[in-house]
Amino acid sequence: MAKEIVVIIGGPGSGKTTLLEGLANEGYTCYPEISREVTLEARKKGIEQLFLENPLLFSELLLEGRVKQYNDAVTEDKDIVFIDRGLPDVLAYMHYIGDAYPSSFDEACKKYKYTKIYFLPPWEEIYTADDARYETYEQAVLIADHLQETYRNYGYEIIEVPKDTVDNRILFILGQLS
């Protein structure tokens, strides 16, 4: 079996983190979303919401972290690595806010290619905001649209994961991979 580098995408609050925690509990190698880490590091430096205050810097830090995750996934000794969000997510968010970004962002998305993309659709019943997730549900839906469009623009086939229990979502993904 060839190495599978699988990305789970979706708007804020669609269940990505919970799904990846479930996969990790099943023994799969999973890399977490790094935007919270970037946000917390910025807060330590007195910047409350780096994405809102300096979206380009935030996005550069995310892109750098996601390239590292990709390279780490390539060298993992496991056949399947699941990642919470990929490089095109950075561009999708920049499109969402209407900001420009350097061509190096586009080049990175073309260079580092994932095997499969699973999309968790917006799901109002499970959506919750918190100190790092400031978007409304309506904004989460728009972000989900930008994510799908951006990944498709890079030639990815997007596999939509049904709204269901975590266990059934895991079974759906694993069934698609086998």
Side-chain angles (χ1 to χ4, degrees):
M1 176 178 185
K3 167 86 67 173
E4 296 272 0
I5 301 176
V6 179
V7 176
I8 309 295
I9 66 169
S14 58
K16 294 177 302 300
T17 302
T18 303
L19 177 66
L20 281 146
E21 287 169 355
L23 285 161
N25 289 338
E26 296 283 329
Y28 289 93
T29 301
C30 300
Y31 292 176
E33 160 62 281
I34 59 172
S35 65
R36 287 179 187 266
E37 182 182 311
V38 171
T39 299
L40 292 173
E41 283 300 313
R43 284 187 181 152
K44 289 178 186 174
K45 297 174 183 171
I47 303 167
E48 187 56 31
Q49 275 294 352
L50 182 58
F51 178 69
L52 297 176
E53 294 178 38
N54 190 339
L56 186 58
L57 174 60
F58 181 83
S59 297
E60 287 169 348
L61 293 170
L62 278 185
L63 200 70
E64 180 181 295
R66 291 194 176 133
V67 166
K68 182 184 181 323
Q69 281 186 324
Y70 180 91
N71 287 328
D72 289 348
V74 168
T75 61
E76 278 286 345
D77 61 354
K78 304 289 184 179
D79 290 336
I80 303 172
V81 177
F82 293 96
I83 303 177
D84 189 341
R85 298 193 179 277
L87 283 96
D89 281 69
V90 176
L91 282 70
Y93 272 82
M94 294 300 280
H95 297 161
Y96 165 71
I97 64 169
D99 272 11
Y101 47 84
S103 62
S104 60
F105 282 34
D106 177 60
E107 291 161 14
C109 290
K110 289 176 181 172
K111 179 177 179 181
Y112 302 98
K113 299 298 277 185
Y114 303 104
T115 319
K116 291 224 181 343
I117 307 299
Y118 288 94
F119 171 71
L120 303 186
W123 191 355
E124 192 165 14
E125 290 75 17
I126 67 168
Y127 179 83
T128 56
D130 61 26
D131 63 336
R133 181 184 302 132
Y134 51 84
E135 302 92 350
T136 65
Y137 177 74
E138 292 72 22
Q139 290 170 317
V141 170
L142 290 173
I143 290 167
D145 292 343
H146 281 282
L147 287 165
Q148 290 184 91
E149 179 182 348
T150 302
Y151 274 86
R152 283 191 182 109
N153 286 343
Y154 285 100
Y156 290 106
E157 174 191 346
I158 297 171
I159 303 164
E160 185 167 325
V161 179
K163 296 175 185 175
D164 206 332
T165 64
V166 174
D167 289 341
N168 285 343
R169 284 178 145 189
I170 289 170
L171 288 172
F172 175 84
I173 289 170
L174 297 178
Q176 293 278 320
L177 286 173
S178 61

